[in-house]
Amino acid sequence: RDMEAELRVALAREELELFYQPQMAIDGGVLGFEALVRWWHPERGLVSPAEFIPVAEDCDLILPLGEWVLRTACAEAAAWPEPVRVGVNLSAAQFAGRDMYASVAAALRYSGLPAERLELEITEAIVLKDSQEVVSTLRRIRALGVRVALDDFGTGYSSIAYLRSFPLDKIKIDRSFVRDLAHSDSAAAIVRAISTLGATLGLTLNAEGVETEAQLEQLRQLGCSEVQGFLFSALRPSRDVPMMLRELA
Ligand code: G
Ligand code: G
Ligand code: MN
Ligand code: NA
C-alpha cells in the first residue's frame, strides 16, 4: 500500500514526533504525560495516528515504529523533573512480534529513565489474547517497577474476570463515557461501577477526554483519582513540558 511505503520513509526521515498530554491528579498537580505520536507528512501535513497506526499494525512497521516511540518517549522524559512519569501506548502486535521485556529494559537502560517513571498503556486487544506469554512478559516488566495501564476501558470486550488475573496498575476509562456523563445516567452508572471495581481490585482509575469543569466535578464524585483531557492543556512537544508544569502547578 501507498501509505505503508510512505510510513517506511517517514520513519527513516524522522517525520514522526511525540506530543504530550498531561495526566493530572484529580485534586491538582501533574502526575505525568501521555505520549501521542504525530506524523508531519511533507505534502499532506499532519496525519493522525488514528489513520496510520492501523496501517502500521497491518504490516510489520508497527515494530520499528513502536520501538521508536518507546525509546524517544523514555529519552525525552529522562530530561523532565524528577517524579514526572511518561505514558507510552503499545499495540497488541508489538507483543506478538517482539520480546517486549527486552525492548522496555533496553529503552530504560539507554535513556537512564527510572523504571518507576514509565507507564505502558495496553489495549483490551492485548488482554483478550489471554496468552500466558503476554501475562508473564507483563509480570516481568512490572517487576522492573514499570506501571501498566489498560487503555480505552469499556469499549472492548474484556470481562471483569480478565481484570482480576491480569497484571495491571490502572484502568483508563474511555473518553466516550466522559463525553456522555452530562446527559446519560447510564454513562455515569458505568463509570461508578468501574470505579467500585477498580477500588476493589486496587487499581488506579483514570478518566480520559475531560473537557469541562462539570465533567471534572462529576468524575471526582464518581471516585476517579486521575484525569486528562483538553480542559488542562493542548498536546505539546517535549520541550514545552517545563512550561506546562509551571502553568498547571
Ligand atoms: O492522539 P490521537 O487521539 O489522534 O490518537 C488516535 C489513536 O492513536 C488513539 O487510539 C491513540 O491511542 C493511538 N496512538 C497515538 N499514539 C500512539 C502510539 O505511539 N502508539 C500506538 N500504538 N498508538 C498510538
Ligand atoms: O486511545 P487513546 O486514549 O490513547 O487516545 C488518545 C487520543 O485522544 C489522542 O489522539 C488525543 O488527541 C485524544 N484526546 C485527548 N484528550 C482529549 C479530549 O479532551 N477530548 C477529545 N475529544 N479527544 C481527546
Ligand atoms: Mn492512550
Ligand atoms: Na483512550
Side-chain angles (χ1 to χ4, degrees):
R1 274 190 57 187
D2 238 23
M3 191 183 272
E4 183 181 329
E6 287 186 323
L7 202 45
R8 222 172 271 284
V9 172
L11 259 174
R13 287 194 191 146
E14 307 206 14
E15 292 170 5
L16 301 179
E17 184 174 7
L18 295 182
F19 275 65
Y20 293 92
Q21 175 171 64
Q23 302 179 312
M24 311 288 298
I26 192 125
D27 293 321
V30 176
L31 298 168
F33 292 86
E34 177 177 357
L36 294 156
V37 67
R38 294 294 181 258
W39 177 10
W40 301 103
H41 190 283
E43 285 106 42
R44 289 197 285 151
L46 188 64
V47 184
S48 163
E51 224 179 306
F52 68 84
I53 292 284
V55 172
E57 283 171 340
D58 282 344
C59 55
D60 46 7
L61 268 184
I62 193 63
L63 299 181
L65 196 159
E67 196 73 14
W68 180 87
V69 168
L70 179 62
R71 291 195 176 215
T72 304
C74 288
E76 293 186 332
W80 302 345
E82 220 2 272
V84 174
R85 290 197 292 257
V86 66
V88 176
N89 290 284
L90 297 183
S91 292
Q94 289 177 261
F95 279 84
R98 272 275 143 99
D99 177 355
M100 273 314 297
Y101 173 84
S103 287
V104 169
L108 291 172
R109 197 164 56 241
Y110 287 132
S111 63
L113 184 75
E116 292 69 25
R117 290 173 56 195
L118 176 62
E119 183 165 281
L120 302 177
E121 299 197 0
I122 65 170
T123 63
E124 290 184 315
I126 295 172
V127 177
L128 281 172
K129 281 177 187 274
D130 193 26
S131 110
Q132 236 359 89
E133 203 180 324
V134 170
V135 169
S136 111
T137 300
L138 285 175
R139 288 227 167 89
R140 290 165 66 216
I141 288 173
R142 281 180 82 225
L144 291 170
V146 174
R147 299 159 58 92
V148 177
L150 181 56
D151 204 2
D152 305 330
F153 187 74
T155 56
Y157 299 93
S158 53
S159 74
I160 291 167
Y162 285 111
L163 284 187
R164 198 167 66 109
S165 59
F166 222 75
L168 292 175
D169 298 284
K170 180 186 293 187
I171 301 172
K172 296 185 72 178
I173 299 176
D174 189 69
R175 67 171 185 264
S176 57
F177 297 106
V178 174
R179 184 194 57 213
D180 295 343
L181 271 182
H183 47 266
S184 159
D185 290 345
S186 69
I190 289 168
V191 172
R192 191 184 299 282
I194 297 174
S195 167
T196 304
L197 181 68
T200 305
L201 297 173
L203 301 171
T204 302
L205 200 65
N206 168 302
E208 305 180 291
V210 180
E211 296 180 354
T212 69
E213 290 288 349
Q215 289 168 339
L216 181 62
E217 187 45 41
Q218 216 172 343
L219 289 164
R220 190 195 318 275
Q221 281 163 19
L222 290 167
C224 283
S225 58
E226 194 180 309
V227 281
Q228 56 184 101
F230 298 154
L231 175 63
F232 306 100
S233 169
L235 300 180
R236 295 185 176 282
S238 177
R239 63 178 171 279
D240 289 347
V241 160
M243 186 194 73
M244 283 194 275
L245 287 171
R246 278 196 304 277
E247 286 175 357
L248 294 166

